[in-house]
Amino acid sequence: MRGYLASGLVFLAVAATAAVVVVVRMRGPRRGYVLATALTALVLVVLTAVFDSVMIAADLFRYDAAALVGLTIGRTPVEDLLWPLAAALLMPALWTLLGPPEVDRGD
Amino acid sequence: MTGWYLGALLLSLAGLVVLDARLRLFLWRDAVRGAAVLAIGDVFFLAWDAVTIARGYVSRGGADALLGVEVAPHLPLEEIVFVTFFGYLAMVVFLLAGRLLPGGRVGGRHQRGRGVSTDAEPVVRSPR
């Protein structure tokens, strides 16, 4: 597996683990959290596909072509889409993990 | 124009701040918790950057758009701002989605028997 993808998958796995932990531990309905996370992922992936291309065209950063799979969306290497996916999984999980514990009042 | 990337980032960040402040979504809901989330996110994504830079997968471009200030080799100052912005964006989108989507509750209080409230001020229900 090409290096850029491999290293990205490791970080994505960490983010995914955090999200899974949160969902598994959730006592109430999980649908809201999962839906919101999915929507966040979609929005971030689309934005990344667009803005990454712009940033690459502006020569803000460069890639070693040998490290890439070679598939792009516009100028965005597909591996770069792991970033917004990881953000959508990790950030809400951190917010939830750092938040107040769920109170099951049992009314 | 030198530094327009940073300018664009700060402008975008300002937009998120306005949205956050108006709707009390994230930092305007819980500043300490929010700051902690952003800080951990920063560490995570900068570590990712560090790995890809160290292995030579990614390197800094020669653009005028950059200020030219590096925090570490191939890690421009703008990247710190960018990862923070990106984490902030993720949270604003997530919390906004949590309020707009059905099935509400995202990340916090669940009250069984009363239905779920969205991740915002508690839903006020009429007495039973």
Side-chain angles (χ1 to χ4, degrees):
Chain A
M1 188 188 292
R2 296 292 176 96
Y4 191 45
L5 177 64
S7 55
L9 287 175
V10 171
F11 283 91
L12 180 64
V14 171
T17 302
V20 166
V21 164
V22 164
V23 170
V24 162
R25 279 173 38 163
M26 210 171 262
R27 281 217 246 71
R30 295 154 179 178
R31 194 170 51 119
Y33 183 91
V34 172
L35 266 178
T37 298
L39 188 65
T40 303
L42 183 65
V43 169
L44 292 182
V45 164
V46 169
L47 287 175
T48 299
V50 171
F51 282 99
D52 224 28
S53 281
V54 172
M55 287 159 68
I56 289 163
D59 194 24
L60 289 173
F61 41 84
R62 301 169 184 167
Y63 297 86
D64 173 14
L68 301 177
V69 163
L71 274 172
T72 62
I73 299 176
R75 290 191 197 218
T76 305
V78 291
E79 298 94 322
D80 274 355
L81 299 182
L82 297 179
W83 253 70
L85 273 178
L89 289 168
L90 179 71
M91 305 303 285
L94 291 174
W95 173 255
T96 307
L97 288 169
L98 292 175
E102 284 177 283
V103 177
D104 192 343
R105 299 248 178 88
D107 289 325
Chain B
M1 184 181 72
T2 309
W4 66 254
Y5 178 45
L6 184 60
L9 279 175
L10 293 174
L11 192 64
S12 307
L13 195 53
L16 287 181
V17 167
V18 167
L19 197 56
D20 186 6
R22 271 215 82 207
L23 299 177
R24 303 197 154 275
L25 287 170
F26 179 51
L27 294 174
W28 266 261
R29 177 159 176 237
D30 189 336
V32 174
R33 182 173 157 198
V37 169
L38 289 180
I40 298 169
D42 274 8
V43 169
F44 178 84
F45 286 105
L46 289 173
W48 194 335
D49 271 345
V51 168
T52 59
I53 289 167
R55 294 188 177 184
Y57 304 147
V58 181
S59 56
R60 188 170 69 91
D64 269 351
L66 296 170
L67 274 180
V69 177
E70 283 188 343
V71 170
H74 293 288
L75 191 69
L77 177 68
E78 291 89 339
E79 185 65 3
I80 315 279
V81 179
F82 176 74
V83 297
T84 309
F85 162 75
F86 204 70
Y88 199 166
L89 176 66
M91 284 310 308
V92 165
V93 172
F94 172 77
L95 291 168
L96 200 50
R99 284 201 196 171
L100 298 174
L101 290 173
R105 197 59 186 124
V106 285
R109 263 175 229 307
H110 165 63
Q111 297 177 35
R112 211 165 64 125
R114 290 184 186 213
V116 290
S117 57
T118 54
D119 194 279
E121 288 68 60
V123 173
V124 176
R125 297 194 181 274
S126 49
R128 279 188 256 177

